[in-house]
């Protein structure tokens, strides 16, 4: 007697890039030991935006650059971090599910101050 399957499942993948490339680097500056920079370049190919694969969102390349400065005040270590994301200010709609889109943020710059307690 052969076993009878009780359930069956399958997945249709949408909003998955066919190809992607990420390059990133982190560099501590030798002349300023408390300062480091890092950045990345990410590229994705076109992405199917519906289940039938008849609508595509074009590929994009995003750039990110960050700087981190570590110091102390009253013996407490602090880190000041500057982030710049999507520096080329690419605007596009990102597929969330079949025929549902979410806009990507344009150029985004932020500054954080964190403390170790």
């Amino acid at each position: 007697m052969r076993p009878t399957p009780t359930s069956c499942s399958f997945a249709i993948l949408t909003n998955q890039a066919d190809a992607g490339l990420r390059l990133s680097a982190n560099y501590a500056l030798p002349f300023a030991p408390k300062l480091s920079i890092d950045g990345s370049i990410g590229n994705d190919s076109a992405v199917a935006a519906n289940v039938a694969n008849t609508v595509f969102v074009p590929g994009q390349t995003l750039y990110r650059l960050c700087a981190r400065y570590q110091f102390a005040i009253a013996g407490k270590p602090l880190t000041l971090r500057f982030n710049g994301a999507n520096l080329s200010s690419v605007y596009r709609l990102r597929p969330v599910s079949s025929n549902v889109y979410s806009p990507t943020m344009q150029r985004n710059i932020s500054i954080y101050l964190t403390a170790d307690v």
Side-chain angles (χ1 to χ4, degrees):
M1 181 174 187
R2 290 186 346 183
T4 308
T6 56
S7 68
C8 165
S9 65
F10 65 96
I12 298 175
L13 297 177
T14 60
N15 61 28
Q16 300 294 316
D18 289 335
L21 175 66
R22 301 282 180 273
L23 299 173
S24 61
N26 186 359
Y27 185 68
L29 301 172
F31 56 86
K34 295 182 178 186
L35 182 64
S36 64
I37 57 173
D38 60 271
S40 66
I41 300 171
N43 178 275
D44 288 324
S45 65
V47 176
N50 65 356
V51 174
N53 291 337
T54 56
V55 177
F56 286 86
V57 173
Q60 71 174 6
T61 300
L62 296 177
Y63 304 94
R64 182 182 65 83
L65 182 64
C66 302
R68 183 175 45 246
Y69 181 69
Q70 297 175 326
F71 60 101
I73 294 179
K76 300 290 183 187
L78 298 169
T79 302
L80 180 64
R81 184 169 178 92
F82 165 83
N83 290 329
N86 195 6
L87 296 177
S88 59
S89 199
V90 172
Y91 178 81
R92 84 167 206 176
L93 295 174
R94 181 178 54 87
V96 176
S97 64
S98 186
N99 293 322
V100 177
Y101 307 95
S102 171
T104 59
M105 291 190 342
Q106 290 184 318
R107 188 174 297 121
N108 182 4
I109 297 173
S110 54
I111 298 174
Y112 300 95
L113 179 63
T114 57
D116 293 336
V117 287

